[in-house]
Each structure stands twice: as C-alpha cells, then as structure tokens.
Amino acid sequence: MDKYDILKKYFGYTEFREGQEILIDAALSGRDVLGIMPTGAGKSLCYQVPALLMPGVTVVISPLISLMKDQVRALNDAGIHAAYINSSLTEGQIAKALSLAAEGRYKIIYAAPERLITPGFLDFAMRVELSMLTVDEAHCISQWGQDFRPSYLKIVQFVERLGRRPVIGAFTATATEQVKEDISCVLGLRDPEILVTGFDRKNLYFAVETPKRKDDFVLRYVREHAGESGIIYCATRKNVDAVYESLCAKNIPAAKYHAGMGSEERKISQEEFIFDNRPVMVATNAFGMGIDKSNVRYVIHYNMPQSLENYYQEAGRAGRDGEPSECVLLYSPQDVMINRFLLENKESNAEYTEEENEAVRERDGERLQKMIYYCMTADCLREYILRYFGERRAVVCDNCSNCKKEFTETDITEEAVKIIFCIRETGQRYGINVIAGTLLGDDRAKLREYGVSRFTSYGSLNGRTEAEIKQMINRLLTEQILVQTQDKYALLKLTARADEVAWHERPVILKAPKYNPVKESAAAGRRGVSASGKRRSDLLNTRGLELFDRLRALRTGLAKEQSIPPYVVFSDKTLTDMCVRTPLNKEEMLLVTGVGETKFANYGNEFLQAIAAFTGGKKEKLYYGESAFAEPTAANRKYFRK
Ligand code: ADP
C-alpha cells in the first residue's frame, strides 16, 4: 500500500491538501518534520498516514485529554488501531493498554506529556519499535508562546532516554518566528523539513458587526441558522451564563462551558455539543482546544478577544470540514475596557523577572491594540489577518463583511493634518478624548484644567461632531499614522508616517459604510459564496436538501447506537457529496469524499439503501447547475477507474 491507498482506504479522501504530502514524504524518508498549519488544515493526517506506513508504533503527544479521546475514537472508527494513555484512565487500565501496546496491537498511541517518563511508559517504549514521535500543539514547548506547558519539556527527557531516536514530528498552528525557532531548538529537531502553509482559510467568511443589542443579534443569527452547529464565545463566565440562559429561554438547544463549572458538568456539556444533541455551545475560551468537531458552521464572538492569535484560533474552529462557514465578531467599545481590565489584572509569571514580565505586558498590550484595529478597519478583514500572521502575498477575498459592504470614500487629508498638528502642538501628552475635545473647541472642565484653549489647534475642527473626529483619529490609528501607548492613559503618539501626511505626501481616505452595516452585511454573509465551495443550500435543490436531511437523520441514529459523535460517522461534506452523486452501488459510494473501505464496511449499505429508497433506485440530479464536481485529477484517477 502506498500513501494514496492509505488516504483512500482509511480516510476516504483522494487528494492530499496543501503541504501534507511534503511532510508525509519527509517523515517516511526518516527526516524530522515541523508542520505549521492553521487549525483545520489537516495536520493529523500528516502523521497518521506515515504512522500506518512505518514499521513500528507512533506515539503522539497531545496536551488535552478530550483531543486524544476524539482522535482515537475517529481512528478506530476508520479501522485504525489506536489507544490513548492519560489520567482519565485508572492505573490498571494504563498497565493493560501499555501491555497491549507492547504486543504491537496499536499503530498509534496518544499520550499526555507527563506520562512519558513514568517507568511503565519508558518500559513500553524500550520494548517496541518506536518509529515516530509526534508532538501535537508543539508551541506548548515554547516559553514565548501563549500556552507554555512545563510538562512538554519532559518530551526532551524522554527522547534522551530512548536507545534509538525515532523520527520526530512537531505540529502547531502558531506561526511566529520565535515560537518556530523554540520548537525546533528545544525539541532538538535534526535538519527538519519545515513547512508553513498559507494561513488563509478560504471557506471561512469573516465579519465584524457592531449591533446595538448583541443579544438580539445572537438570537436572530442562531434562529436563521437553526439545525446548524455553532459556538458563541464570551469573554466572561457571567456573559456565558446570560447568553446561555437567553437562548434556552427561547427553546434553542444550547450547551454552556466555562471554568467555573464542575468537571462532570463540563464533560456532559461538551458531549451534548459534540453529539449534536445541543448543537449551539456558549463558552469562554476555556472551551475548544482539541475539539475536533468538523461540522461547526459558525463561530460568533460575543466579545472581542485579547489578540488576533486567540481570535483566529477560536474562529478557526468553524468549518474544519472545508464547507463554507462564518466567523462573526460582535464589537463594542466596552470590549476594549473589559480586555484592558483583564490584562491589567493578569497575574505576573513567577518564573520571569520583573523586566520580562513587563515585556510580556507590553506585548499583550500591542496584541490587543492590533485586535482593536481589526474591529475598526474598513479594509479587507482576511487580508488584515493574513498580514498580521506575516503573509504578504495578495489575497483574493470577496468573502468578508468589508469586501461585501459598499463604502463611500472621503479624502480627509486636510483634517488629518489638523489632527496631527494638534497632537504635536500639545506635546503628544493626551489621549483621544482630550485631543478630540481640543479640536472641537469644547469647553469641558477637564479641558479648562489642561488649559488647551491656548493652542492654535483649539477649535480647528469645530464644524465637525466629536464622533466624526474620533472616527478620523481611529482611521489614523489603523493606518499606523498614530499609535497609542500601551498604558491605561492610551496617549496618542505620532509615527514617521505622520510626517508624510503633514507634508502632503500621503493622502488619508476615510471609508464609511454606505448603509446599515448590521442588517446588510449579515445578509451579504449569507449570500456570500466562498472561493472554495458553495453553501449547501446554493448547491443542492429542494429535493437534494430533503435527501440531506434524511441522511443526516440516519447518521444521527447510527451515531447514537454506537455512542460516537455524528461527524465521526460521516462529515457534512460527505453527506452533501452523497446527495450530489446519488451513489447506487459500492463502486459509486467509494467515489464520495470521506468514504473509505472501512467506513463503507461499517455504514455503506445503510446509506446506499436510504439513497435508493429516496430516488426509487434511479439516478437523480439533486443539485443546481451543470457539473458540481471536478473531473478526476491525476492523484485520484485510479479510484475513478475502479
Ligand atoms: P488540524 O489538526 O490541522 O486542525 P485536522 O487534522 O483535524 O486539522 O483536519 C481537519 C479536517 O480536514 C478533518 O475533518 C480531516 O478529516 C479533513 N482533512 C484532512 N486532510 C484532508 C484531505 N486530504 N482531504 C480532505 N479532507 C481532509
């Protein structure tokens, strides 16, 4: 069997995604690998495929118990022998699993890092042929990352104790240069194949909304997406409770999750969500890492997160199956206050010096600032995100709320010059309120106290409203003509770009939405057809959607019987593809994306029968348009011949 056979047989796919093959080939040739790919890009396959082709066992280190459980469940369902070893098992169970593992019963073993150098695990590792050691969420090894876990350092000790060094593979979605270097250096990767794939997730629609009442927005959105699975992230436990209750009051099947709940309650909540019994999850950021639910169709942020790293990771939990999905951030200026408060009250890390802690605080402040600009920018949101993560190439978007909105553009260079002059004249010592008040020529007590009326710029924009002046200042901030200091005073400072504006070398254009952004862009989002695929309702006709619902019900039933999540049976994408192809026999069914040999053996006939019952045993065209699917490619042609 080669890698394509494995891909089709166990995973049901016919083509590798960007970057997967490079990493698989490198690992198979005995080289260490470092894969940096966004959430949902398909990192797991990069070590699961080699694991099945290598002679011995692959050990996968993963920080989260829920992740291990999910992955092992999915692997076993695909016909791959796998097990996990972590604190959710009793010592007796662990001993049993390790002895089975030592007999070579499993190809893949997931383990928590703290397990590695226990005598039992070491004994097992010495006895078997260890082909590959995979470090998932590898950024946890970097002290500079956001999720440093000291237990990850045990991996290094583990490798040192092994007689023979296996291939080491490290995977993460965190892309910063420092974290990348840390991983490579701390893990001691040898001449690794490093692969950083594009961070663009084409199937995700990004939107920033500023609704007057967030609760109304959420309720309307969730109702419009009834039957779909989604996550609503809130900044605080209090918000989680409130949003959860407001949804339950309207009979929406929601679950909630935050660190204030007991572990049993959290576990039940999570399972309710994963099994689609309660497809809407309201949670703090404590929820989600390692949740591999592929059919999350939307992620709403009720509050702005603290950084784009956090945002992209959380929003990225939408659409892991590659189907069009939406990421909506609800912004209000209050979120800035909540986040500043949270950052100010964040505990210092006792392992760092005061200086290092100060550096961390400053970095957090800068990250928050960039997050705020994301919420305020009128430019393409996708491009903003990708630029933040260091991608400079041009992107084709047309799939974010700003690209979908119509803007009026106004040249505000004259006003910008006045703003810059005012900031310079007042000694760069004030924040946005004082500067706006000065330009307005306002007569507030605070301004009198500062004596700003003596400046020439006092009242120089008196024909404008305060809101307009602030909007212009915000534009200058997003253009990085101005910056704000990272302390609680948030003083406005000029950058080198301010000189270019002052000398009329750089025009400043203000973009303002032409119409009500809330209503219209939500609609635009729904209309939005992503570059990578059409929304199900745009692809399937009414009969097609009807068949989809039947297949979905069948999937739920089968999943319940075996107590596994529905998406482990088949993904939404697979069901959609079945509705398009209406397979009537095994050969045709195996052409459906996500249907491999094992999956077919487990569920194939039930789905074939359901399709035949629906179409009367005949082929039926259940989709709009000509041919919805691409012709076979070189990689998958052999399966089309079968
Ligand atoms: P990551 O770990 O990078 O966040 P996963 O490994 O969980 O992502 O993969 C995300 C989804 O993409 C899974 O549902 C997986 O089955 C699917 N996937 C991975 N590789 C392919 C592929 N080559 N073709 C189609 N789907 C794929």
Side-chain angles (χ1 to χ4, degrees):
M1 279 221 275
D2 64 11
K3 60 188 176 193
Y4 295 108
D5 298 317
I6 298 273
L7 184 68
K8 183 63 205 169
K9 177 163 186 236
Y10 292 107
F11 301 96
Y13 304 132
T14 43
E15 270 175 285
F16 285 104
R17 288 200 188 143
E18 186 192 350
Q20 286 179 329
E21 245 179 314
I22 296 177
L23 293 174
I24 291 170
D25 290 345
L28 287 175
S29 74
R31 263 182 86 183
D32 288 350
V33 299
L34 171 54
I36 297 176
M37 299 165 142
T39 311
K43 288 185 278 297
S44 324
L45 228 97
C46 300
Y47 56 82
Q48 289 166 349
V49 171
L52 292 172
L53 287 166
M54 286 172 159
V57 177
T58 290
V59 167
V60 183
I61 318 295
S62 167
L64 282 145
I65 293 175
S66 62
L67 175 87
M68 294 186 209
K69 230 169 122 183
D70 273 6
Q71 295 248 16
V72 167
R73 194 154 45 186
L75 286 173
N76 283 314
D77 201 58
I80 299 166
H81 299 289
Y84 59 84
I85 293 188
N86 60 36
S87 58
S88 75
L89 304 179
T90 62
E91 284 304 320
Q93 287 171 318
I94 291 178
K96 179 94 203 292
L98 283 174
S99 89
L100 288 175
E103 286 169 20
R105 289 280 193 95
Y106 308 118
K107 279 307 271 182
I108 305 181
I109 308 241
Y110 284 78
E114 47 276 1
R115 276 290 132 202
L116 294 175
I117 51 170
T118 57
F121 199 88
L122 276 171
D123 180 54
F124 144 78
M126 299 297 191
R127 277 168 53 196
V128 293
E129 179 179 358
L130 197 60
S131 293
M132 180 159 162
L133 181 69
T134 295
V135 184
D136 206 4
E137 311 287 354
H139 59 279
C140 293
I141 208 162
S142 166
Q143 311 218 14
W144 279 104
Q146 293 180 312
D147 314 294
F148 171 59
R149 284 170 190 250
S151 61
Y152 259 57
L153 298 173
K154 295 211 160 58
I155 301 171
V156 184
Q157 298 170 23
F158 175 66
V159 176
E160 281 166 2
R161 301 263 194 107
L162 292 172
R164 223 182 107 246
R165 184 181 182 279
V167 170
I168 300 183
F171 296 88
T172 176
T174 305
T176 64
E177 205 49 42
Q178 202 161 22
V179 171
K180 198 165 94 185
E181 275 168 27
D182 261 13
I183 294 174
S184 197
C185 179
V186 181
L187 280 178
L189 299 183
R190 295 187 188 157
D191 179 33
E193 174 76 68
I194 300 179
L195 185 114
V196 186
T197 61
F199 262 57
D200 191 8
R201 297 272 311 277
K202 292 194 177 62
N203 60 319
L204 299 185
Y205 168 82
F206 289 97
V208 174
E209 304 289 355
T210 46
K212 274 210 182 71
R213 294 178 50 86
K214 290 182 177 182
D215 290 327
D216 293 349
F217 182 98
V218 168
L219 189 61
R220 199 184 68 215
Y221 189 97
V222 171
R223 279 191 168 145
E224 279 174 6
H225 294 74
E228 292 184 354
S229 184
I231 304 175
I232 300 160
Y233 277 113
C234 304
T236 61
R237 297 173 191 180
K238 219 170 102 197
N239 278 352
V240 169
D241 289 334
V243 172
Y244 167 76
E245 267 149 36
S246 76
L247 292 179
C248 290
K250 303 283 180 198
N251 291 326
I252 287 170
K256 68 170 178 170
Y257 190 106
H258 59 61
M261 293 158 54
S263 68
E264 189 56 25
E265 201 188 346
R266 270 185 306 190
K267 197 172 129 207
I268 294 171
S269 252
Q270 183 168 314
E271 299 262 303
E272 286 286 280
F273 172 67
I274 287 184
F275 285 79
D276 275 340
N277 295 334
R278 298 183 164 272
V280 181
M281 173 58 94
V282 189
T284 60
N285 61 6
F287 176 78
M289 194 172 172
I291 299 292
D292 184 26
K293 191 172 196 293
S294 70
N295 65 338
V296 175
R297 293 275 71 87
Y298 59 86
V299 172
I300 297 177
H301 275 77
Y302 189 85
N303 301 106
M304 177 186 74
Q306 284 183 358
S307 70
L308 265 174
E309 277 91 348
N310 290 350
Y311 181 63
Y312 205 48
Q313 190 177 46
E314 288 156 18
R317 296 191 176 120
R320 289 172 85 114
D321 53 11
E323 291 280 273
S325 308
E326 299 192 351
C327 308
V328 185
L329 196 164
L330 306 183
Y331 173 75
S332 75
Q334 228 186 354
D335 294 334
V336 178
M337 271 148 41
I338 298 179
N339 277 306
R340 288 232 160 93
F341 175 83
L342 290 175
L343 284 186
E344 270 162 31
N345 290 286
K346 196 169 142 182
E347 270 180 40
S348 300
N349 186 331
E351 287 173 28
Y352 290 171
T353 63
E354 188 39 46
E355 262 164 37
E356 282 170 333
N357 271 314
E358 190 48 44
V360 169
R361 263 194 293 279
E362 204 166 297
R363 186 200 61 192
D364 287 347
E366 278 161 20
R367 284 184 173 158
L368 175 61
Q369 200 58 57
K370 299 250 166 77
M371 185 72 244
I372 300 170
Y373 295 158
Y374 173 82
C375 298
M376 297 195 313
T377 185
D379 299 329
C380 173
L381 295 175
R382 184 179 308 277
E383 201 171 298
Y384 186 97
I385 294 172
L386 295 178
R387 222 177 333 118
Y388 181 84
F389 288 111
E391 269 183 43
R392 305 257 162 234
R393 57 186 170 172
V395 287
V396 184
C397 175
D398 205 31
N399 195 24
C400 76
S401 55
N402 284 349
C403 285
K404 291 285 178 196
K405 255 180 235 166
E406 277 186 60
F407 288 93
T408 48
E409 297 196 350
T410 322
D411 188 322
I412 56 157
T413 313
E414 284 310 318
E415 289 83 352
V417 171
K418 287 182 182 166
I419 293 168
I420 290 167
F421 181 72
C422 176
I423 293 172
R424 181 167 293 141
E425 189 185 30
T426 54
Q428 307 190 49
R429 278 184 296 134
Y430 299 113
I432 191 166
N433 288 323
V434 173
I435 294 296
T438 306
L439 287 157
L440 198 62
D442 208 10
D443 188 30
R444 270 170 250 167
K446 190 121 216 154
L447 296 178
R448 274 201 301 274
E449 188 189 315
Y450 291 142
V452 293
S453 61
R454 70 178 188 278
F455 294 113
T456 0
S457 51
Y458 184 73
S460 60
L461 284 178
N462 62 2
R464 301 301 200 130
T465 65
E466 187 171 353
E468 282 172 343
I469 296 175
K470 284 189 174 171
Q471 193 185 24
M472 290 189 253
I473 293 177
N474 282 333
R475 180 67 185 164
L476 297 184
L477 282 166
T478 53
E479 292 269 295
Q480 295 183 30
I481 293 163
L482 305 178
V483 287
Q484 273 170 313
T485 57
Q486 295 310 321
D487 48 31
K488 63 178 176 215
Y489 306 108
L491 307 181
L492 293 173
K493 303 273 179 188
L494 304 172
T495 70
R497 291 185 183 177
D499 289 335
E500 296 170 25
V501 177
W503 296 330
H504 286 85
E505 283 171 1
R506 175 190 275 270
V508 185
I509 307 294
L510 184 71
K511 286 168 84 176
K514 256 189 189 161
Y515 45 73
N516 178 355
V518 179
K519 263 167 90 178
E520 292 286 345
S521 64
R526 297 189 63 73
R527 274 201 308 273
V529 174
S530 82
S532 74
K534 288 183 170 181
R535 203 161 275 288
R536 186 160 59 239
S537 54
D538 291 335
L539 182 66
L540 300 180
N541 61 26
T542 322
R543 287 264 302 155
L545 291 172
E546 213 179 302
L547 175 60
F548 182 89
D549 284 341
R550 287 212 195 171
L551 298 183
R552 180 158 58 182
L554 174 61
R555 176 177 71 175
T556 309
L558 289 170
K560 279 228 169 83
E561 274 170 26
Q562 306 175 69
S563 306
I564 56 173
Y567 66 86
V568 170
V569 174
F570 283 130
S571 70
D572 283 6
K573 198 184 183 98
T574 298
L575 297 191
T576 308
D577 201 17
M578 283 186 198
C579 297
V580 169
R581 295 182 192 268
T582 55
L584 296 174
N585 54 42
K586 181 176 175 185
E587 284 65 38
E588 288 176 3
M589 188 57 116
L590 283 173
L591 294 182
V592 172
T593 182
V595 183
E597 293 281 350
T598 321
K599 283 279 170 87
F600 183 84
N602 289 342
Y603 315 112
N605 284 327
E606 267 117 328
F607 281 85
L608 279 176
Q609 277 163 17
I611 293 165
F614 185 82
T615 65
K618 292 192 297 282
K619 279 266 165 226
E620 189 177 334
K621 182 169 171 289
L622 302 178
Y623 55 89
Y624 297 117
E626 292 289 306
S627 169
F629 280 80
E631 286 300 301
T633 60
N636 66 19
R637 190 157 293 133
K638 62 180 177 178
Y639 298 101
F640 279 80
R641 251 188 271 123
K642 264 189 192 158

